[in-house]
Amino acid sequence: MIIRILGEGQFRFDDSNLGDLNKIDNQIVDHVKNGDHDGFFQELVRMISMVKELGKPVNELEIIPSDIIVPPADLSFQEARNIFCNDGLIKG
């Protein structure tokens, strides 16, 4: 699977780690629903860190469609309401 972090590039991410990433995604959705700005930011940073730590960077010369697009760490809480709703970034 290919995950893009906006402003930071793409990463090859093993599907076996998707469940853990989805848990973080669901927590972000809950924080956004509850208006918890700090919790949202902490989990977004955690999500980005997980993709960078467990993923392998894709060469910027390769053109590969992304399966998931993760917003940057400086995403505003207002913007997060439009992105992290319903199922969030990862369905399920």
Side-chain angles (χ1 to χ4, degrees):
M1 144 169 312
I2 302 295
I3 299 179
R4 173 178 296 282
I5 300 172
L6 289 178
E8 299 195 41
Q10 290 180 301
F11 298 82
R12 292 184 198 284
F13 194 79
D14 193 290
D15 289 352
S16 66
N17 295 311
L18 193 58
D20 291 333
L21 194 65
N22 190 32
K23 288 177 187 174
I24 296 171
D25 183 45
N26 291 337
Q27 289 174 341
I28 294 172
V29 169
D30 289 343
H31 290 308
V32 169
K33 279 184 193 174
N34 296 325
D36 180 357
H37 295 245
D38 292 336
F40 150 71
F41 179 73
Q42 288 172 356
E43 291 302 315
L44 179 58
V45 168
R46 188 170 153 224
M47 175 181 272
I48 291 169
S49 294
M50 176 183 269
V51 172
K52 289 170 141 183
E53 288 172 17
L54 300 178
K56 294 182 177 139
V58 172
N59 185 317
E60 62 187 40
L61 298 177
E62 286 187 72
I63 300 173
I64 304 172
S66 300
D67 298 299
I68 297 173
I69 299 174
V70 176
D74 64 353
L75 181 74
S76 75
F77 193 77
Q78 187 61 35
E79 292 170 314
R81 289 182 175 160
N82 297 323
I83 296 171
F84 292 100
C85 54
N86 301 320
D87 282 341
L89 300 178
I90 304 167
K91 304 298 178 217

